[in-house]
Structures are given as structure tokens and as C-alpha cells.
Amino acid sequence: MCFFRACSALYFFRACLSLCFFPCLVSINRFETDIDSELQIIREHCNGLGAKCAVSDIYGLGGEGGAELAGHVMNSLETDPTPTPTFTYELSDSPEEKMRKIVQKVYGGADVVLESKAKSQLKTMIKNGFGDLPICMAKTQYSLSDDPKLIGRPTGFTVNVRELRLSAGAGFIVAVTGNIMTMPGLPRKPAAEAMGVGPNGEAQGVF
């Protein structure tokens, strides 16, 4: 059942790429436990979507295991080297509208809801002139929604934004959704600065 749910999600990702007018190439990463009949089902599913695909087994076979995938990539570059993309939203859209378009067009959801903390943060960002920045969604990788248990290709869901973080230097706003945890930043003096290798090859400064 999970296998076919994944195929339904693949259909949606293919549709998203079509909206952007980018060529679609599916890389099937082969694991030791995979069986040929399963891989063939994915190939047939991709063919039905009009998407090229290749089994990639670089881990097991080295460079030879990625030859088919590389061939498809090179062919795409030769046939359409400079595709013209379309974008999910306009920079002139409000930050909330940008998030809504991402949820509806990319994730297939119904709407986005900003919690009170996020609304207050957004008001401050707009007041300080950061309202035109692009949006980066921090979201679980296990689902198109913000609920990691909602797998496959769910529809009609709402994405909840609990807080907004301004990355002024990088030039975007991070929308933190659901219960996702982001990577912590480095302290002023990272522990790596005290690490080294002693004269006898032993590790130093590692705790």
C-alpha cells in the first residue's frame, strides 16, 4: 500500500514540474532489498506520466551505476539547454499570499494559516521593509502537508505556520510549519576550532 501511495505522490511532483515548464527526470535510487519487479512498476508509472526515469545504483556499482541517469541528463541538456521557468508566485505578492500559493500549487493543499506569533512577526517584517522577500518553507519531508503522518498524496489540508524567521542576509523569510525542527546555528566559537590531531595520530578536542 505504501508503495502505491508513493507512486501517487510521484504523480503530483511530476505535475508540479510541468507547471514550471522544466523537463522531468526521475532517479530511482536502488537499495539492496529492492526487487526488479518493483523497479519495473515505477518505470511503467513514470512512462505513463511521460517522465523519463533511470535506476541509479552508484552506491553498489560506482560510476557505472549512474550511467543511465547521466545519459538522460545529458540528453535533456542537449535538447533543451535553457528552459524558461515559470514561478509559483510573484515577488509583489504579500508574504501570506506567497505561502498560500506554495501550499496550493506545490503541496496540493487548501490553505495556509498563520498562528498569532507568526502574524506578529510578519507585521514587524513588513513594517521594516522585508515584505517583498521570497519565502522558504521549513516543513516535514515525510508529507506534502505539515503532518508527517499524512503520507501519499493528501488533499484539502491546511498548513499551519507557527513562526517566521527573517534571513535578511540571504534574502528570504523562513516559514516554520507544524512541529518541524530546524538545524541549530553555530555558536560564536564553534567546537571544531579546538579539534585537531595529536603527534601520534590521536583525535584531540573531541567530546
Side-chain angles (χ1 to χ4, degrees):
M1 179 62 71
C2 290
F3 182 78
F4 290 102
R5 283 179 177 174
C7 285
S8 67
L10 178 63
Y11 177 87
F12 186 76
F13 293 138
R14 169 69 175 90
C16 288
L17 286 173
S18 296
L19 288 174
C20 298
F21 293 99
F22 278 122
C24 181
L25 172 59
V26 178
S27 173
I28 307 171
N29 293 326
R30 183 173 195 131
F31 289 80
E32 292 182 357
T33 55
D34 290 341
I35 57 178
D36 291 339
S37 59
E38 289 179 337
L39 299 179
Q40 183 59 31
I41 290 174
I42 299 176
R43 282 185 179 275
E44 293 173 357
H45 192 76
C46 290
N47 290 335
L49 297 175
K52 294 180 180 179
C53 69
V55 175
S56 176
D57 190 11
I58 298 174
Y59 179 82
L61 301 176
E64 181 183 350
E68 182 186 8
L69 177 64
H72 284 313
V73 172
M74 293 304 298
N75 183 63
S76 294
L77 292 174
E78 292 170 358
T79 55
D80 192 8
T82 56
T84 302
T86 57
F87 299 96
T88 304
Y89 56 75
E90 300 294 332
L91 287 177
S92 57
D93 291 339
S94 68
E96 190 167 0
E97 182 62 19
K98 291 172 185 173
M99 288 180 262
R100 180 172 293 107
K101 287 183 177 180
I102 292 173
V103 169
Q104 294 176 343
K105 294 183 178 182
V106 180
Y107 304 151
D111 204 356
V112 64
V113 173
L114 274 65
E115 297 181 6
S116 57
K117 180 180 180 180
K119 288 181 178 179
S120 177
Q121 292 169 328
L122 178 57
K123 185 177 180 180
T124 300
M125 291 178 189
I126 293 175
K127 180 180 179 181
N128 291 326
F130 297 107
D132 291 335
L133 292 181
I135 299 293
C136 174
M137 304 290 283
K139 187 184 72 63
T140 177
Q141 72 272 34
Y142 298 113
S143 173
L144 289 167
S145 72
D146 59 351
D147 180 359
K149 296 181 180 179
L150 198 59
I151 60 177
R153 188 191 175 189
T155 58
F157 58 86
T158 298
V159 171
N160 298 287
V161 177
R162 73 171 193 265
E163 68 173 297
L164 296 174
R165 299 176 186 173
L166 176 63
S167 296
F172 55 79
I173 296 171
V174 180
V176 183
T177 69
N179 296 320
I180 192 68
M181 292 180 62
T182 56
M183 292 289 288
L186 291 175
R188 187 177 298 275
K189 185 177 177 61
E193 292 186 5
M195 296 180 185
V197 179
N200 297 320
E202 73 279 9
Q204 296 179 337
V206 180
F207 55 89

